[in-house]
Amino acid sequence: MDFRNVNPLNVRLNLVSDYRMPVVYSKEPFTTGIFVLGSVIVLVSSAYIFTKKVSADSYIINVMLLITAQYKYTALKLSMIFQNRFLQSDDRSESNTKECYPNADYYAEKEMKALCQHHNMIIHIMIMLRKLLSLNISLIYVISVFRFCGIAIMLISIPSVTLWEVFLHIMYAIGGVVQLYILCYCVQRLLDASTEITDNAFHEGWYLYGRSIKRTFMFMIMSNNLDIKLSTFGKYNLSLSSFIAILNQSYSIALLLLKTT
């Protein structure tokens, strides 16, 4: 605390710069009581903003992990449908094979219909998720660039601050990097799971079934080639590659600003 003035009544006076944050609650100089009250307001506001941010990020991560689990369930179920041990055994007889094919096709077709309905439901959920988070994800990308740009400027100017401020800057930078990495990692897992539904099933005995099942499986393979973007602007989508891009762009902007000042 930096006390700048003492009035004739020996009442300590403070300035706005004592808050260490860009806030103004009274004309300066002001008494210690007003300073303490302002500090409490700043502390409560900071805790509220932190809790709100953590809650929003936890909600986004939880929703993406739930949808990722649904995609993995679909991939596992599709692979299990084609794992017909009797048809793939080496010691089966020709008569048993002919007798088993109609039953296997009927079972597989029934399971494929149910699985396709489940897959369509997941796609609709992804569309709803994109409408809900598209703008938010774009803003996270842009804000993260300027946020890490400010962090880079603070870290570069570390020699001009105290040891305690150096520790706070480093902790804030580590927390911001970890937060962004977790978001990018969850989005990357969701995107990977949405495009790998048929990868394991392709190595099973899908070619032993009828035309209807083969056609349905081929349609699912083609649908996996469609790239899903959660962001409104494809350039500002979150992923592990965009995580590195954000850090590089932030550092480049920080160096540019430091050279121009």
Side-chain angles (χ1 to χ4, degrees):
M1 184 182 300
D2 185 15
F3 299 104
R4 307 299 177 83
N5 296 305
V6 179
N7 64 0
L9 299 179
N10 292 326
V11 177
R12 296 178 181 272
L13 301 178
N14 300 85
L15 301 177
V16 174
S17 59
D18 295 328
Y19 282 118
R20 309 294 293 177
M21 293 187 68
V23 294
V24 177
Y25 296 108
S26 176
K27 293 182 179 180
E28 55 183 2
F30 44 84
T31 61
T32 304
I34 296 178
F35 173 74
V36 172
L37 179 62
S39 299
V40 171
I41 295 175
V42 170
L43 178 63
V44 174
S45 301
S46 301
Y48 172 76
I49 294 173
F50 175 79
T51 304
K52 187 177 180 180
K53 178 61 177 174
V54 171
S55 301
D57 290 345
S58 300
Y59 173 78
I60 294 174
I61 292 173
N62 184 53
V63 171
M64 289 190 294
L65 290 179
L66 287 175
I67 300 178
T68 302
Q70 293 299 318
Y71 274 117
K72 290 187 175 181
Y73 166 79
T74 303
L76 179 61
K77 186 67 176 179
L78 183 62
S79 179
M80 292 175 61
I81 290 175
F82 295 139
Q83 288 178 354
N84 193 316
R85 301 301 181 186
F86 184 81
L87 289 177
Q88 298 177 21
S89 61
D90 296 331
D91 56 347
R92 64 182 183 272
S93 62
E94 183 178 357
S95 60
N96 290 335
T97 301
K98 291 181 179 179
E99 182 180 355
C100 183
Y101 262 111
N103 296 330
D105 286 346
Y106 174 78
Y107 167 78
E109 187 174 358
K110 181 180 178 181
E111 293 293 327
M112 286 287 288
K113 288 181 179 180
L115 190 62
C116 288
Q117 292 177 356
H118 185 76
H119 188 211
N120 290 335
M121 181 185 66
I122 299 175
I123 294 176
H124 287 302
I125 294 176
M126 281 292 296
I127 295 174
M128 294 173 58
L129 182 66
R130 187 180 187 276
K131 292 180 180 179
L132 179 64
L133 301 179
S134 58
L135 182 59
N136 189 25
I137 289 180
S138 299
L139 289 176
I140 289 175
Y141 187 100
V142 176
I143 292 174
S144 297
V145 171
F146 291 101
R147 178 186 179 187
F148 288 111
C149 174
I151 292 176
I153 293 176
M154 287 192 302
L155 293 178
I156 293 175
S157 60
I158 273 180
S160 62
V161 297
T162 63
L163 182 62
W164 174 248
E165 290 177 335
V166 171
F167 175 75
L168 293 179
H169 291 169
I170 294 176
M171 291 300 296
Y172 180 75
I174 294 175
V177 171
V178 172
Q179 175 194 5
L180 180 63
Y181 177 80
I182 292 175
L183 285 173
C184 293
Y185 176 74
C186 292
V187 175
Q188 185 67 52
R189 287 191 61 185
L190 176 59
L191 299 179
D192 292 341
S194 64
T195 58
E196 296 175 355
I197 294 179
T198 59
D199 288 359
N200 293 331
F202 184 79
H203 300 286
E204 302 296 339
W206 59 272
Y207 48 85
L208 299 175
Y209 293 87
R211 292 183 178 179
S212 176
I213 298 176
K214 292 179 182 178
R215 188 183 302 110
T216 303
F217 184 62
M218 290 301 175
F219 285 150
M220 295 186 70
I221 292 177
M222 289 188 292
S223 66
N224 285 342
N225 296 327
L226 300 177
D227 194 10
I228 299 177
K229 298 292 185 181
L230 294 179
S231 175
T232 304
F233 309 98
K235 185 178 180 180
Y236 302 115
N237 194 42
L238 293 182
S239 62
L240 291 180
S241 59
S242 64
F243 172 75
I244 303 299
I246 289 174
L247 296 181
N248 291 335
Q249 293 172 6
S250 301
Y251 185 71
S252 300
I253 295 175
L255 290 180
L256 180 62
L257 293 176
L258 290 175
K259 288 183 179 179
T260 56
T261 56

